[in-house]
Amino acid sequence: MMQPTDDFTVAAKALAADGWCSMPQLMSMAQTRALAQECAALHEGKVMLPAGTGRAHSRSPLRGDHTLWFPTAALTAPQQVFQRRIDSLRIALNRSLFLGLVDTESHYAVYSPGSGYARHLDRIHDSDARVISAVFYLNDHWRESDGGALRLYLPDQSSRDIYPHAGTLLLFLSAQFEHQVLPATRQRMSIACWMRQQGVGATC
Ligand code: OGA
Ligand code: MN
């Protein structure tokens, strides 16, 4: 059986070569489903907030998702599983790419049908803390006809569409890759996570 660290070595090589990569299965389907159920329940419970962008976290016409940050203490059981996997990936990337990633921040995001997120870069607050963007998808039985791709713009100005299939993890360099979320015909759930270095710019 393939060791998880092998997946991470492949991801590190692809990131070093191309600046982005996607992994089809970060964790087991049962673990992914537990996160999806928690995210759906939080959304139904109306505890997620309309997402903002930029310094003031003002509600933004650029994006239509509702988000909820993972708590800094007392993660739920499904969140702990995610955090452990992401931390081992972060440590593997530090080892192979000498990145100095010290921690992560993560939020659930739910896009209602018809909502998206306009083309943007993930660096915020004039801070260079975010180095790697990691987006983990939670949607069972997603079809391309449902829409909702993340469109990643490559340095040569071509683009790739990544569909939000449950279990897929997309990684890209936060400072270099503009991307957008295309609207979907059904509810679309993800975890957006950033691996951070010790910020040199303003703190966030
Ligand atoms: C973001 C983002 C992408 C996605 O939250 O910055 O680009 O596919 N999310 O959810
Ligand atoms: Mn983004």
Side-chain angles (χ1 to χ4, degrees):
M1 205 182 89
M2 203 176 183
Q3 295 300 309
T5 43
D6 291 344
D7 291 353
F8 292 168
T9 308
V10 171
K13 283 197 178 128
L15 261 183
D18 305 326
W20 74 281
C21 71
S22 81
M23 290 173 48
Q25 207 175 0
L26 177 70
M27 57 177 83
S28 78
M29 283 315 288
Q31 291 167 333
T32 302
R33 209 161 284 135
L35 286 159
Q37 280 166 2
E38 181 173 89
C39 180
L42 289 165
H43 188 249
E44 274 156 35
K46 307 228 180 299
V47 291
M48 298 180 68
L49 297 171
T53 50
R55 191 180 286 280
H57 280 280
S58 48
R59 201 166 163 167
S60 169
L62 292 176
R63 61 190 293 186
D65 54 335
H66 283 66
T67 61
L68 186 69
W69 289 97
F70 283 18
T72 43
L75 296 174
T76 65
Q79 290 168 356
Q80 281 175 33
V81 173
F82 176 77
Q83 189 65 49
R84 273 199 293 274
R85 287 294 282 158
I86 284 293
D87 276 333
S88 32
L89 175 57
R90 179 177 61 77
I91 288 158
L93 295 180
N94 281 343
R95 282 213 191 97
S96 12
L97 305 175
F98 309 105
L99 282 176
L101 303 166
V102 291
D103 65 8
T104 59
E105 54 181 352
S106 306
H107 68 55
Y108 280 125
V110 178
Y111 292 80
S112 300
S115 67
Y117 192 162
R119 184 169 170 165
H120 67 281
L121 267 184
D122 280 350
R123 286 254 162 125
I124 53 161
H125 301 228
D126 307 322
S127 160
D128 61 2
R130 290 176 171 183
V131 177
I132 306 277
S133 300
V135 195
F136 183 57
Y137 292 110
L138 302 177
N139 311 287
D140 272 332
H141 312 299
W142 196 273
R143 292 172 308 176
E144 295 196 2
S145 58
D146 295 327
L150 181 140
R151 182 162 291 167
L152 189 70
Y153 293 91
L154 304 186
D156 67 2
Q157 292 310 309
S158 69
S159 62
R160 295 284 183 283
D161 284 352
I162 293 95
Y163 287 89
H165 299 291
T168 295
L169 181 75
L170 172 67
L171 297 168
F172 57 90
L173 297 177
S174 307
Q176 290 177 28
F177 285 80
E178 291 190 349
H179 54 283
Q180 76 186 96
V181 178
L182 300 175
T185 56
R186 52 177 276 206
Q187 177 174 282
R188 176 192 188 278
M189 299 186 294
S190 57
I191 298 172
C193 168
W194 292 276
M195 299 186 188
R196 303 190 297 190
Q197 63 182 357
Q198 208 73 58
V200 194
T203 51
C204 57

